[in-house]
Amino acid sequence: MDNLKVALIMLVVAHHAGQPYGGSEGWWYFKTVDSPGLGSFFAVNAAFFMSLFFMISAYFMPATFNKKGASKFLKERFQRLGIPLLIGFFIIIPLLMYTYYINFRGYPSISYWKYYISTYFGIGDQPVGWTGPSWPDMNFGHLWFIEHLLVYALLYAIFRMIIKKTLTTETKNKFPGHVTILLFTLFVAVVTFVIRIWYPIDHWVGFFGIIQTEFAHVPQYASFFILGLLAARRGWMGNIPKSLGLSWLAIGVILVLIMYSGKLSFFQKGGLTWGSLAYSVFETFLCAALCIGIIYLFYVKFNKASILFQNLSSNTFTVYVIHVPVVVILQYAFENMSMSAYVKFLLVTFFGIILCFGISHFIIGKISYLIKSYNKLKSSKMIDC
């Protein structure tokens, strides 16, 4: 699981590193000349990697709850997820949005403080001809994932407090068969299609006014989060039969190759159309196949612990929080260099991964260690405050 988390976070960095360079069709903090070719890369990533992240996050949740109980579990969740969320909302995202404002919106340059109050929080008039993507600018950006994890953790804690019993983990139940997986995937695909009639892909809303949500993928995220909880309770993760694991991995690879072929132009991101139905079914099967296949592959081929990957794994959460400003800075740095968009994409990805893990381990990690050491000394009354 450590190795899988490291691979996934590297893919997340690569996904955002490539946003300005062609095919994403979404909004990004940095604009440049769009080059075709990366659209399939983004589409494949979006189909499965965040669902797999939700599944992995949920997998560790029951054991943590059993160990700490409801109050300590919630306190730890609010500290671990809530604090970075607030830092991102009030510090990281405003800086990124301000940089975008002064470089790409065409308005006269204003001070950061004025932007922060009048535009980011919307305490002022909306500029004429506002280019969006929304008004006001305040948002959680890529930290929506952490926001959703916090909501899911709260709902899980409420569920556990209602049933009032300890749920054991790793009972080694038989992994679901092909028919069960097929029916589950079809059900999620149909729900996804229905949701996308009103909420197409890349359409974000503020659920309850504050939960940043792309409903088009919520059926996948929520269902795979629940699967992660069930996998922990029933011992599924390390118990995938060889034939089933290889079969679904092969299905996933075939679907990826079909996506990369570029022959699926009839797919549509939403609406009551056959193209939307086809895309919902295709994407959900791609998600299920890759999630099952990749988990099996990592348990069979990449199930060796190493100090390097254990250290990298311990930094994956921090890398997720800080990676967007890092890759945006690199995108600016490489913009005026004479090279193709694809080379820039590879360079931003490579240096982004190195810088993010380096900053997390050698700077943020050391600061966190010093704070924890200070708190331990303080609690043991070894120092006088």
Side-chain angles (χ1 to χ4, degrees):
M1 298 302 287
D2 285 340
N3 298 340
L4 179 54
K5 286 197 299 181
V6 172
L8 280 177
I9 196 62
M10 289 182 177
L11 185 59
V12 170
V13 175
H15 184 86
H16 289 138
Q19 288 296 309
Y21 303 123
S24 72
E25 298 182 6
W27 182 90
W28 189 243
Y29 303 98
F30 176 77
K31 291 183 178 181
T32 187
V33 177
D34 194 38
S35 300
L38 293 176
S40 297
F41 174 72
F42 298 130
V44 170
N45 292 343
F48 86 95
F49 70 166
M50 296 313 297
S51 294
L52 187 50
F53 255 130
F54 275 112
M55 190 175 184
I56 293 172
S57 300
Y59 178 74
F60 294 102
M61 203 168 284
T64 303
F65 190 96
N66 290 343
K67 179 181 178 181
K68 298 184 178 182
S71 60
K72 288 185 178 179
F73 172 83
L74 287 173
K75 180 181 178 181
E76 190 270 341
R77 292 294 94 182
F78 277 106
Q79 288 177 340
R80 177 169 174 76
L81 303 177
I83 293 175
L85 202 58
L86 292 175
I87 292 174
F89 182 76
F90 288 103
I91 299 175
I92 297 175
I93 303 302
L95 287 170
L96 289 170
M97 294 303 298
Y98 175 68
T99 305
Y100 177 81
Y101 179 92
I102 62 176
N103 283 283
F104 301 115
R105 279 193 169 133
Y107 292 109
S109 182
I110 58 175
S111 69
Y112 175 73
W113 179 248
K114 183 177 180 181
Y115 166 82
Y116 190 72
I117 297 298
S118 64
T119 306
Y120 185 74
F121 286 108
I123 307 175
D125 295 330
Q126 179 176 333
V128 177
W130 181 248
T131 57
S134 62
W135 175 263
D137 266 351
M138 61 179 181
N139 65 89
F140 287 98
H142 64 292
L143 301 179
W144 67 265
F145 170 68
I146 299 175
E147 186 182 23
H148 282 230
L149 269 186
L150 185 58
V151 172
Y152 290 177
L154 177 59
L155 293 175
Y156 176 72
I158 293 172
F159 166 75
R160 290 292 300 270
M161 287 186 287
I162 290 174
I163 64 172
K164 295 181 179 179
K165 71 175 185 177
T166 299
L167 299 178
T168 57
T169 59
E170 297 291 347
T171 55
K172 297 295 181 183
N173 286 294
K174 183 180 179 181
F175 195 85
H178 292 288
V179 174
T180 303
I181 296 171
L182 177 65
L183 292 175
F184 163 79
T185 307
L186 284 173
F187 172 76
V188 176
V190 171
V191 175
T192 299
F193 166 65
V194 172
I195 294 293
R196 291 181 182 179
I197 294 174
W198 298 279
Y199 299 98
I201 295 174
D202 291 330
H203 179 71
W204 292 82
V205 299
F207 189 50
F208 291 129
I210 193 171
I211 304 175
Q212 189 171 307
T213 307
E214 184 203 25
F215 280 113
H217 283 108
V218 166
Q220 295 172 11
Y221 299 155
S223 60
F224 277 83
F225 181 85
I226 294 172
L227 280 182
L229 298 175
L230 292 174
R233 176 161 168 71
R234 301 183 180 182
W236 284 345
M237 286 292 197
N239 198 29
I240 303 176
K242 180 179 179 180
S243 59
L244 188 144
L246 290 177
S247 297
W248 284 94
L249 179 61
I251 292 171
V253 171
I254 291 170
L255 294 179
V256 168
L257 293 176
I258 293 174
M259 180 71 83
Y260 271 91
S261 70
K263 305 297 183 181
L264 303 173
S265 58
F266 62 91
F267 279 173
Q268 292 179 304
K269 292 185 175 182
L272 187 59
T273 66
W274 289 110
S276 177
L277 175 61
Y279 196 15
S280 298
V281 173
F282 182 93
E283 187 186 59
T284 307
F285 269 90
L286 176 60
C287 177
L290 286 183
C291 286
I292 295 170
I294 289 173
I295 290 172
Y296 173 78
L297 181 66
F298 269 76
Y299 263 99
V300 173
K301 297 296 184 181
F302 305 104
N303 200 12
K304 294 182 180 180
S306 69
I307 295 176
L308 172 61
F309 273 82
Q310 286 176 345
N311 286 332
L312 292 177
S313 178
S314 66
N315 286 281
T316 53
F317 180 78
T318 304
V319 168
Y320 185 86
V321 173
I322 68 172
H323 79 278
V324 168
V326 171
V327 300
V328 170
I329 290 171
L330 289 171
Q331 286 159 358
Y332 273 101
F334 288 114
E335 173 60 11
N336 294 323
M337 295 185 180
S338 180
M339 59 183 73
S340 73
Y342 305 110
V343 174
K344 292 179 182 178
F345 160 59
L346 293 175
L347 289 175
V348 173
T349 298
F350 177 75
F351 287 108
I353 290 171
I354 291 176
L355 284 174
C356 286
F357 277 104
I359 293 169
S360 175
H361 183 74
F362 293 106
I363 300 177
I364 298 176
K366 299 305 180 185
I367 294 173
S368 177
Y369 173 77
L370 291 174
I371 293 174
K372 290 179 180 178
S373 299
Y374 174 82
N375 289 333
K376 286 182 180 179
L377 288 171
K378 182 178 177 181
S379 62
S380 62
K381 299 182 179 179
M382 293 179 65
I383 61 174
D384 183 6
C385 295

